[in-house]
Amino acid sequence: MKCLLIASESAEVLFHWTDLEFQQNIQKQYGASQEEGQRFPAFEDMISTQFAPIIISCSTIVDRQSDSYTSFTTENNHIYVLHQFDECLYIAVNGDGEEKEDDLRRKIYVMKKMIEVRFGMVTLSGALLKRELRPQDTEQRARLWKQLQKLLETYSRLRENDQSFLVEAVERLIHPTLCEQCIEFLERRLVQQLNSSVDRAGEEVLHAFILVHTKLLAFYSSRNASTLATSDLLALIIMAQNMCPSNVDLDDPSPESTSGSGPESFYTPEPSPTDRDSKKPVRESPPLFEFVDPDIQMAEDSLHTLEVSPPDPSAPRRVFLEVHLKDGLYPMMPHSMYCLPLWPGITLVLLTKIPTSAVAMSVYKFLEAFAKLEKRLNEGQSPAAAKSQLTTLDIRGKLDKFIKALGPSELQFGHLQSVWTDFKSRAFTKGGSGFTEDLIPSCKAMKTQLCGVYRHCFFTDSGSADTPRWLSPALQERAQTMVQDKLIDWKDFLLVKSKRNITMVSYPISLVHFICVDRSTGQMIAPSLSITERTTSELGKGPVAQYIKSKVWGLVSTTRRYLQKGYSTVTLRDGDFYFCYFLWFENETGYKLEAGDIPTLPDDSAPIGMLAWDYYRKLLRYYRKNHQGEAVKCYELLTIHLAVIPTDIILQHCRQLATKLWEPSRNPLL
Amino acid sequence: MQDKLMAELMPPDPRRCNYFFLYDGSKVRGEGDLTREGICYFYPEETLLEKQELLCSQFAGVGRCVSELSSSPVQTLRLRHNKFAIRMKDDFLWALGCSVDVPTVSVCELLDQLINLFCFYNGSVRQSYQLNSQETLAARWARYLSYLQSGSSEMCHIFSCLKTIDSTNVDPLLLLKAALILQACQRCPLVLAGCILFRGRVVSTQMSPELTMKVMVHESETYTKGQRLNGPSTSSSFGGAVSSTTVYLTMSELQYLKSAPVDRDSSSHSTPNKNVPPKKTRLSRTLSDTPSTESEPSYPNSSQTPQKTSFSPHLSGSDNSVCSPTASQSATDSLNLSLLSLRPPLSNGKHCHEAEEEALEESCYHSFHNNGDGSSQIHSEEDSSVFEENSHLNGDGDAAGEAVFDFRGTDSGNEQSHGGGGTDQGRKAEMKDPSHLSGAFDDLEQSPLVDVTLYMHRVKGLVLALLVEPHFLSDAASMEEVYHSSLASLNGLEAHLRTISPGAPGAPGPYVFAHFDCIQSTLTTNLSGRPGGAPEHPFVRATSLLHSHFCNTETLQEAIIRSAGAAVYGTRSVAQETYFQQHGGSLRNSGIPNHQDSAFSLPSKARHRLMKHGVNLL
C-alpha cells in the first residue's frame, strides 16, 4: 500500500501516485464517510478529502509552532513521511513494510528533482509551479500526472533492482577497448557531423552517451561543455529508462519486484507508440502547458492564444540541467534531450544546448539578485546594505538592457517591464518606500515575473511554425543509424555483458559481495546482482540470491544512517554474514588522507546520495576546507563476507579490494 | 556513585521529556466544544493554554486522520524539533514528546511506563477520571512523570533501566540477607512477592523489573515526605513505619506472581556477575555468588572479580557482624536449610505453607549447583520443556552465537525457570521489540485490572515493599508475623547499608563501557552520571544509535562504528547489551580498511578490560 502526494497548502492536489491497494483503500474510506447513493467523485478529490486534515494541520503547525511534521508511524507499521518544499507539501506513505522512512524521504526528494529537471526555474515560484503541476484542463492534467507517475515508477523499479540506483552512482560497462572506440566514434564522427549540419536549427550537441540498460558504455562531452553533474546524469538515465524501457525488466516475471505496478490497471495506457523493433525513435509527447489563472498577474492573455497542437514525434524533451561555467554555477539551464533507441536495451542519448540559453542565464542572475535582496530585507538589514545587492552588480542597468532586448512584442515581457518600472519607482525614487521591508512584495513580484519570462521562453514553442526548432528528424535518424552500424556486431555481447559486468571469480571465496564507489566522479563498481528468471547472477537465483540482495540493500541503508550521524567506518556481525563499510579520502596521487570529521545531520535531512541531493559533493567541499589546494577524492567500499572468516582476514581482503579496484591497470576507464 | 547520588538530587533532566499530555476526545465532540475541555493533563504545566490547545487539537486531528487511513492507531509522530510517542485508546490520546536525539524505542518505552504506572496506582484511566477530580489526577501524572524523568543519566534513559544499589561496594552477604528477608516474608501465604529498596535503589527484588519500578514510585514518594497523597491507610499498631495502598495488577502480572513464588526472578540487584550469560541464572543470585568462589574457584568471572580476593576472609568475619546480632531466625534457617540434603522438588504453583521450606531449599540447591549435573535431577520431574531450556541455558554454548536462533526460546526459558507457570513466555522479548510495545500496553488496558495491596515497611532509608492479597490487612496474625519476622533483619540490613560509603566514583580509566542486562533491566557503567553522561558525549551518542539498531535488527550480534573522534564497539546476546569505547591511543587513520587499525581491536580489548567488571563477553 503506497502513495505519494503533492499538495498545496490549501489541500489542493498537485500530483498523486498510488498503487491499486492504496487507491481502493481511499475509495473505501471515502465511501464510508459518504451517504449512500452518492456517486464517487474523481479520485483526486477523494484523496484530497482524506488527506485534508493532515495537510491543514501541517500548515497550522508551521505557522503557530514554527515546527513541521516529518513523519508518522502507526501500530501496524504504516509510515508517513512529510516534507514541505516552499509551497508544496509532499507526503509519501508506505503500508506494506517494503520501504523505510529513509526510502520514502528519498522518494520525495527524487520526485522533487525530477520536477526540477522538467520545470526548471519555474519551481522557484511556488505560485507558478502549482499551476504547472495542476493544469486547469483535466485532460492535460491527466496526461502530465501520468507522465510523472510513470517516471516515479521507473525510479522505484530502478532503486529496487539496480545497484547503481541503490547507491546512486553511475555504473560503467567494463570493456576498455570497446569503450575507447565508442568514445572516439562519438567524438570524431557523430558529434562532429551533427554539430556541423545545417539541420540542427541552432542547437549544439554538448553531450552524447550510449546506455546499455542503465550502464554507461561510452560518454562524450564536447570541449566547450561543462561537466554533467552525476545527479543530472542519473536523472537522465531514469528518463531514458522511462522512455525506452529495457525489455529485460519487462521479462521479469515477478511483478512484486517493481513498485507500483498497480496503477497500470486503472490508468489508460500511454498513447505513444512503443514499437521496439522499429528504428523510429520512440518519444513521448512534449509537455503542453496552458496557463489560466486570474490570481497571478501574468500574461495569461498571451497564453490563451497558444494552440494545443498535437505532439511532434521528433520533438526532444526539454530538460533543465546544472551548468558549471567559469563565472559560476547555473542551475536548471535549458537543454534538449534526444533519446534514440538503438535496440531494445541500448539507447543513444544526445543533449544539446539551445540557441536561447543565454536568456536563461540572465534570468537566473536576476532571480538570484532579487532573492538575495528579499532575504536581506527580511533580515532587516540597513537600506544601504540591501541596496548594494542591486547596485554592486549593476543589476538595474543590466535588467533595463535585458528588458529592452526582449522587446515589448510579447505580452509577458511587457508585464515584466511594468513590474520592473513599478519596482524602480518604489525603490529608487524619493516618494517610494526605499529599501525597506515594504519593498518585499515588489521583490516577490519581480521574481514571479522573471520566472514567467523563463517559462515563456523555454516551455512554449515561441518560434514560428515554419522555422525548424530542433535537430531535424532526418538528422536524428542519421545519428541513430550511424551508431547502430558501429555497434551492430557488438549488440548481443553488450546486452549480455551488461548483466555480467564484473565476475566474482577473481575474488576470495569468503567474499559474498562488494560495492565500491568513487564519489568524486560518481561511479561505482559491483558484481552483478540482477535476479530474474532468465538471467542469474553468480549467486544463482531463487531464495538465496534474493536473500543476499535484501542484505545488500539493507546494508546500504544502515550504513547511510551511520554516515548521517558522522560514522565513516562500520562493521557488523549479522547472522551468517560480516558486513564492512568504509569511507575515506585520497588525494589525486592515491595518497590516503587522514580521516576527517563528518558532519552530523538531523534525521529528517535530505537523503544521503547523489541523485536528488548531492551529499558527497557537500562532504567533499567540507573536507577540502582543511585540504586547500589539493584535489581530494572520496571513496566508499561495502563488503559482505561469510561470518566464519576471521575478522583479520576479512579486513585484509577489504584492503586489497580498496587498493586494487581503482588501479588504472585494472580498470583503464576509471 | 557520588555522581549518581548528586544527580538524583538535581532537578529532572529537562531534556528527557519536553511535552506530555493526555487528551480526552470524548469531551470535544460538538462544534461548540472547546479544546481545553478535553485536556486532562498537560506537561509542562506552565505551557500557555493556547499552545496546549494547539498541540492537543492538531495531534488529535492528525492522529484520527492517519488512524483512519491506515486502520490502526498512530504510534509515533515526529516533528523537526520533537518526537512524540502516541497512544490512542477509547477516545483518549496520550502524547509524550522528547528531543529528537532520544531513540524512538526509548520514547515509546517511557510513555508506556508512564501509562502503566498510572494504571498500577489508579486502575483504569476512564474510571479514575470518573471518580477523581482532574486536579488530583494531574498531580499524580506529574508525580509519575517526575519520577520517571529523575534517572541518573542519559544512559539510563536510553535503556529505561532500573536503579539499583552499586553492588560493587556492597558486601554480597548483605544482598543475600535481603533476599532471605524476602523469602521469609513469603512464608505468609498472603504475601505474593516483594522487594527491598534502599534510598530509592533496588537491593533485592522478587518481582519483574517493570513491577519493581512501579513499586519504587510509591517508595520514593514516602521517602521524600511522610505525605500520603495516594490515600494509603496506615496501621497504627505498627507505628508510622508501615503503610499500605491499593494497587492494580493486570491478570498476567497477577498470574505470574501467583505462580511458584520461590522460582521467580528473585533478586535483581546489580552484582557485577549479572553479566554472566544466562547460564548463571538469577535464582537467588546472592546465594550462588557466595559459594561459587570456594566451590568453583576456576569459575571465570567470579575468580577474577577484585572484591573476591578479599572475599573469603571477609565471609566469616562479616557473617558474624552482619548476621549474628540482627539476623532473624528465618534467615539463619534458610542458610541452614540450604546445606541440608536434597528433597524432591515442588510442583509449580504450589504454595501452601509447608511447601515453602522445600521450595526455598530447592532454590538454594539450584543456585549452588546450577552448573552441575544436579540440574537434570532437579528438573527430571518438571515439565520437560523447562528442563530443555534450562539445560540449554546452563550449557556452555556461546550465547551470542545462539541469539539468532534462540532469541525467543532462550528468553522464555529464562522466565520459565523462575516462574514455571509459563504465563509470561516471551514477554521479555516483546518488551524489547518496539513493535510489541503497544501490545504490552494493550494487555494492560484490555485485561481487567485486579486490585492487590502494596504493603511497605520502612526502616529509615530502607523499605520492605510487599505485594499482598487485599485481606492481608485485615488478617492481624499474618501482618504481625510478617512485621515481626522481618523487623530485626531490616534494622540490621539498614544499619549496614547506611555505613557503606558511597565509594569512589569508578576511576575514569582508559575506557568507558556500559553493560545492560535486558532481563533484569539493570545497567552497569563506569561513565559518571553527569555531565559525562550528557547526550553530546560521543559514547552516549554511539550507544544510543547502536541500541536502536540492536532493537530493530534481531540478527545483529556485534558492531563497530567509528567517527573522527571515537570508535565504539557494541555487542549483544539474548540477555545483555554491552558497549565499549577505548580512550586515548591514536585514532589517526585514513579510514581505509586496515586490519591493524585500533578500532578493530576493540572486541578483544573489551573482552579483556570488562572481565574485571564482571562482564564476560566470551
Side-chain angles (χ1 to χ4, degrees), chain A residues 353-368:
Chain A
K353 180 177 151 185
I354 60 170
T356 50
S357 61
V359 175
M361 271 147 81
S362 302
V363 171
Y364 177 71
K365 274 188 197 158
F366 297 135
L367 268 174
E368 201 183 24

Side-chain angles (χ1 to χ4, degrees), chain A residues 29 57 70-71 73 80 574 595, chain B residues 58 68 70 75-76 78 555:
Chain A
Q29 304 264 345
S57 182
T70 59
S71 71
T73 61
Y80 294 66
D574 185 344
Chain B
Q58 295 305 315
E68 268 171 30
S70 290
Q75 195 168 35
T76 67
R78 276 179 34 205
T555 50

Side-chain angles (χ1 to χ4, degrees), chain B residues 374-507:
Chain B
S375 60
S376 59
Q377 245 181 304
I378 278 195
H379 294 291
S380 57
E381 285 173 61
E382 290 186 15
D383 187 303
S384 63
S385 69
V386 175
F387 161 58
E388 272 172 29
E389 276 154 7
N390 262 314
S391 64
H392 167 75
L393 283 174
N394 293 341
D396 286 326
D398 178 10
E402 286 158 2
V404 188
F405 307 103
D406 293 306
F407 188 76
R408 258 159 188 276
T410 332
D411 220 344
S412 56
N414 267 330
E415 294 286 336
Q416 280 196 331
S417 65
H418 316 312
T423 49
D424 270 29
Q425 244 190 48
R427 197 169 55 94
K428 267 295 181 178
E430 284 178 353
M431 287 304 291
K432 293 294 152 204
D433 181 349
S435 63
H436 288 285
L437 282 174
S438 57
F441 166 67
D442 274 354
D443 283 351
L444 196 147
E445 274 290 281
Q446 276 160 3
S447 74
L449 295 168
V450 187
D451 58 315
V452 295
T453 297
L454 175 61
Y455 162 95
M456 284 208 174
H457 180 179
R458 170 175 296 282
V459 180
K460 293 176 187 141
L462 189 77
V463 165
L464 168 70
L466 300 172
L467 287 174
V468 296
E469 301 276 7
H471 56 276
F472 175 77
L473 293 178
S474 51
D475 186 339
S478 295
M479 266 185 98
E480 205 120 328
E481 190 201 327
V482 167
Y483 180 81
H484 289 297
S485 69
S486 57
L487 183 60
S489 316
L490 288 174
N491 275 316
L493 188 58
E494 195 277 334
H496 279 93
L497 287 173
R498 189 171 10 121
T499 55
I500 288 168
S501 66

Side-chain angles (χ1 to χ4, degrees), chain B residues 540-551:
Chain B
V540 177
R541 270 193 344 114
T543 301
S544 143
L545 271 177
L546 287 169
H547 174 63
S548 297
H549 194 183
F550 280 134
C551 285

Side-chain angles (χ1 to χ4, degrees), chain A residues 25 29 50 57 67-68 70-71 73 75-76 78 80 562 566 568-569 571 573-575 592 594-595 604 655, chain B residues 58 62 65 68-70 72-73 75-76 78-80 549 555 557-560 562-563 588-589 592-593:
Chain A
N25 184 45
Q29 304 264 345
Q50 293 305 116
S57 182
D67 206 337
S68 49
T70 59
S71 71
T73 61
E75 281 176 18
N76 60 355
H78 287 205
Y80 294 66
Y562 283 113
S568 57
T569 301
T571 67
R573 185 181 297 278
D574 185 344
K592 315 284 182 289
E594 195 179 301
D604 61 317
R655 189 175 179 83
Chain B
Q58 295 305 315
V62 165
C65 178
E68 268 171 30
L69 278 169
S70 290
S72 169
Q75 195 168 35
T76 67
R78 276 179 34 205
L79 283 84
R80 212 149 357 117
H549 194 183
T555 50
Q557 296 143 36
E558 56 173 36
I560 298 168
R562 177 176 52 202
S563 63
R588 286 176 169 260
N589 60 73
I592 194 171

